[in-house]
Amino acid sequence: SFSSSLAGFIEEPERKYCFECDSEEQCQEWIEALKRASYEFMRRSLIFYRNEIQKMTGKDPLEQYGISEEARFQLATRR
């Protein structure tokens, strides 16, 4: 039985989660799934697709929501 411990969350730094799997391969699948579910992964995906849409249409898709200049949605810092 393989097990993997993950770091706690910011809200509860002392709380830990332990996942047990039948194989190392299954353990890696869980780790990848958890990474894909992370905020940082979703933020980078949003930035990527935002840039792709902007290239295709010439328009910023987030502009209509008034969040086009927010730093957290920028891939690189604007100068």
Side-chain angles (χ1 to χ4, degrees):
S1 160
F2 292 87
S3 71
S4 175
S5 293
L6 299 173
F9 292 96
I10 292 168
E11 299 83 22
E12 300 176 77
E14 299 305 312
R15 189 170 180 179
K16 303 274 187 265
Y17 295 87
C18 185
F19 293 83
E20 289 190 3
C21 305
D22 295 328
S23 67
E24 189 171 354
E25 183 182 90
Q26 192 181 53
C27 188
Q28 288 305 314
E29 285 174 17
W30 269 106
I31 290 170
E32 285 305 309
L34 290 164
K35 281 182 191 173
R36 286 192 305 271
S38 75
Y39 171 82
E40 186 58 26
F41 179 85
M42 288 187 273
R43 188 185 78 83
R44 288 184 177 275
S45 296
L46 170 69
I47 291 167
F48 172 79
Y49 289 115
R50 174 192 184 186
N51 289 337
E52 290 300 301
I53 291 168
Q54 203 161 9
K55 279 184 219 168
M56 292 169 67
T57 66
K59 294 181 180 179
D60 182 349
L62 297 184
E63 207 166 48
Q64 63 182 316
Y65 301 107
I67 54 176
S68 63
E69 295 301 320
E70 282 193 38
R72 64 186 166 165
F73 298 127
Q74 304 299 325
L75 191 55
T77 32
R78 291 188 177 178
R79 298 177 184 197

